[in-house]
Amino acid sequence: MPDITHFDLNTICMDFINDPYPMLAALRRESPVHYNSDGSIFLTRYQDCLAVYRSHDMLSDKTEYFGAKFGQCPLFNHHTNSLIFNDPPYHTVVRKLISGAFTPRKLREMEQLIHRIVDQLLDSIAEKDEIDMVADFGMILPTEIISFMLGIPDEYRKKLRSYSISILGALDPVVSEQGMQAGNQAVSEFSNVLNDLINHRRANPDGARQGEVLESLIFGEHEGRVLTQEELIQNCIFILNAGHETTTSLVSNSVGLFLKNPAQHRLLIENPDLITTAVEECLRVESPLQIGNRQARADIDLEDHRIRKGTYIHTSIAGANRDPAAFEAPDTFNITRRRNKHIAFITGIHVCLGATLARMEGRIALSKIFRRFPKIAANGKAARLPLARFRGFTHMPVKLHS
Ligand code: HEM
């Protein structure tokens, strides 16, 4: 049984990152509102996380926190402009404008695109015996899709993952000097690329390819307001970050779960229609985004605890999604699970804008992988992404035809 006495989110280690679930279960049982050394709290119960996400007294704005963490630099500028770290009214306006990129019509266009990209990717690996599920498939799929969405030319696509990892890595509770530099450089380089792309699309509004949403972001209007160039650039970077690593992780975490659970793998191969509940179960059991943040704007009462105004709150999405009070046999991977009200995409005003797209990518990719390679098997040890907030893999060697 893990000892929760010294658990502190600011000093977590690779043991926790490799397998956070025993510690999260112990915290949920013994210290569900757990205080870290900096006075922030870590919530691991489903109902408590839900209460935080549904509360109107929660702030996402982290200008003060980022100011202390980053100082004035590109990372600070990026995160403080992104809709995710803002509150109404700025959040409402930017969210409305970005929603224009996820209309049913745009999603239908993207669905065709996803089928095409997945087929091409699987064709390109089909002749190989051994591949890395992350490098050869998982990370290419969202890069291609987001590149189409933002109109990013081929020559920049390979860099997108390292941009995304560097920028998101700097959000981890502990960041090295080198990590900080990489994050700042990634924001600067990507901002320059996007600045040129946006200017080009402004000058050529009709030149977009199928699946591109940049023009709706540039020209979209909400109550007479359009996004400024800086807001556009930083929120495009945010779309890359929001949709890239999370989707790579959805694919690799899901493949990892099926490889570890052969009975569920067989069940899906024999019943491909289970793909919808299977993707939901993968999102619950191995949530790509594991920890969220808010700050209390007022005193908030949880079931048995009062959170004081000003407190920084870390919500354990992963802990909530395995809470026995909300899910029967929560540690069991069961692709036929019904009433799966997981919060992998959270809930409330910041609920993931890309959830429908991500689910679509997950369903299409996993269905096609398992249909074409029903004998897919592990080929050595997979390596975890060394981040606490984001759960995924850096490498996952697999044999396609075993
Ligand atoms: C499996 C994949 C994904 C997961 C698990 C995921 C999860 C999340 C979560 C938990 C949030 C809320 C964060 C918070 O406020 O604390 C969020 C927000 C967001 N996500 Fe996703 N996401 C995924 C894929 C995507 C994709 C593919 C896109 C777009 C291309 C996207 C775009 C966004 C946007 C724009 C927000 C900000 C919403 C707001 O602040 O109002 N996400 N996502």
Side-chain angles (χ1 to χ4, degrees):
M1 177 70 57
D3 177 9
I4 57 127
T5 345
H6 303 295
F7 180 84
D8 185 344
L9 207 50
N10 300 300
T11 55
I12 37 147
C13 59
M14 263 326 272
D15 283 349
F16 177 79
I17 288 173
N18 282 327
D19 184 11
Y21 304 112
M23 179 57 85
L24 295 177
L27 285 166
R28 200 188 305 110
R29 243 185 342 260
E30 294 169 38
S31 182
V33 182
H34 189 79
Y35 278 80
N36 297 303
S37 56
D38 58 2
S40 66
I41 58 172
F42 188 43
L43 302 178
T44 40
R45 285 188 301 212
Y46 182 82
Q47 279 307 334
D48 291 344
C49 293
L50 220 56
V52 164
Y53 284 129
R54 286 181 175 158
S55 166
H56 296 294
D57 285 321
M58 288 294 158
L59 299 171
S60 287
D61 184 307
K62 292 175 85 178
T63 309
E64 205 180 305
Y65 171 82
F66 287 142
K69 178 170 179 148
F70 299 130
Q72 284 299 330
C73 65
L75 275 170
F76 175 81
N77 186 35
H78 165 63
H79 289 306
T80 51
N81 266 291
S82 302
L83 83 159
I84 200 168
F85 294 126
N86 276 282
D87 301 307
Y90 176 78
H91 170 263
T92 318
V93 173
V94 178
R95 189 172 166 104
K96 278 266 191 282
L97 291 170
I98 292 188
S99 305
F102 298 95
T103 58
R105 187 176 67 79
K106 292 277 179 199
L107 286 167
R108 273 196 303 277
E109 277 186 38
M110 278 183 231
E111 184 168 15
Q112 295 170 22
L113 197 66
I114 299 168
H115 276 286
R116 215 170 58 226
I117 293 170
V118 170
D119 286 338
Q120 278 168 4
L121 272 173
L122 294 182
D123 285 346
S124 75
I125 57 174
E127 296 303 312
K128 299 183 187 171
D129 234 10
E130 303 176 355
I131 64 149
D132 180 342
M133 192 35 90
V134 180
D136 296 325
F137 185 87
M139 66 182 234
I140 307 179
L141 173 66
T143 310
E144 287 295 302
I145 290 163
I146 295 167
S147 297
F148 268 100
M149 289 175 74
L150 301 180
I152 294 175
D154 292 355
E155 64 264 32
Y156 292 113
R157 294 187 183 182
K158 281 211 166 65
K159 284 198 152 184
L160 294 191
R161 187 176 198 228
S162 71
Y163 286 157
S164 164
I165 298 251
S166 303
I167 298 169
L168 294 176
L171 289 177
D172 242 31
V174 186
V175 190
S176 66
E177 185 56 36
Q178 202 185 9
M180 228 32 129
Q181 269 174 19
N184 278 316
Q185 193 179 338
V187 174
S188 302
E189 279 185 34
F190 199 21
S191 296
N192 290 337
V193 173
L194 283 165
N195 190 46
D196 291 348
L197 288 177
I198 291 166
N199 288 342
H200 177 77
R201 185 55 68 238
R202 273 192 207 285
N204 304 277
D206 298 325
R209 283 196 289 173
Q210 181 202 22
E212 191 184 305
V213 298
L214 196 57
E215 101 285 355
S216 20
L217 300 177
I218 297 173
F219 301 108
E221 239 185 76
H222 174 63
E223 293 174 354
R225 164 91 151 78
V226 294
L227 292 172
T228 66
Q229 186 82 350
E230 186 65 348
E231 290 165 356
L232 263 168
I233 292 172
Q234 300 311 330
N235 282 291
C236 284
I237 295 182
F238 173 69
I239 290 177
L240 166 76
N241 293 339
H244 184 260
E245 201 49 39
T246 46
T247 309
T248 302
S249 298
L250 170 59
V251 172
S252 55
N253 287 345
S254 305
V255 172
L257 277 167
F258 281 105
L259 296 184
K260 260 185 32 199
N261 293 276
Q264 295 292 302
H265 186 189
R266 261 195 315 280
L267 188 64
L268 181 61
I269 288 178
E270 285 160 15
N271 303 277
D273 290 352
L274 286 176
I275 191 64
T276 304
T277 47
V279 168
E280 297 309 308
E281 183 67 343
C282 293
L283 284 161
R284 183 188 74 81
V285 175
E286 288 280 38
S287 307
L289 187 57
Q290 299 248 307
I291 303 173
N293 292 101
R294 294 293 184 266
Q295 187 182 16
R297 182 169 52 186
D299 286 0
I300 313 279
D301 285 324
L302 300 178
E303 199 179 304
D304 51 10
H305 192 91
R306 171 161 291 187
I307 301 175
R308 294 286 172 203
K309 177 180 172 182
T311 307
Y312 280 104
I313 302 164
H314 304 272
T315 45
S316 173
I317 294 170
N321 283 341
R322 288 185 182 223
D323 185 343
F327 302 95
E328 210 182 301
D331 293 322
T332 306
F333 176 53
N334 171 9
I335 64 168
T336 65
R337 189 181 290 274
R338 303 273 156 196
R339 293 186 299 281
N340 189 347
K341 287 186 170 292
H342 66 75
I343 53 164
F345 297 114
I346 71 152
T347 181
I349 64 164
H350 288 273
V351 64
C352 177
L353 259 174
T356 308
L357 175 63
R359 288 179 154 122
M360 203 191 276
E361 291 181 63
R363 286 196 299 265
I364 295 173
L366 293 170
S367 298
K368 292 194 182 218
I369 290 171
F370 292 130
R371 196 178 316 141
R372 285 188 70 164
F373 310 112
K375 294 193 172 159
I376 187 170
N379 184 28
K381 203 168 160 18
R384 279 277 167 208
L385 206 58
L387 299 174
R389 230 165 256 292
F390 295 88
R391 185 156 180 82
F393 290 93
T394 50
H395 300 288
M396 179 182 280
V398 295
K399 275 187 194 284
L400 290 177
H401 309 285
S402 72

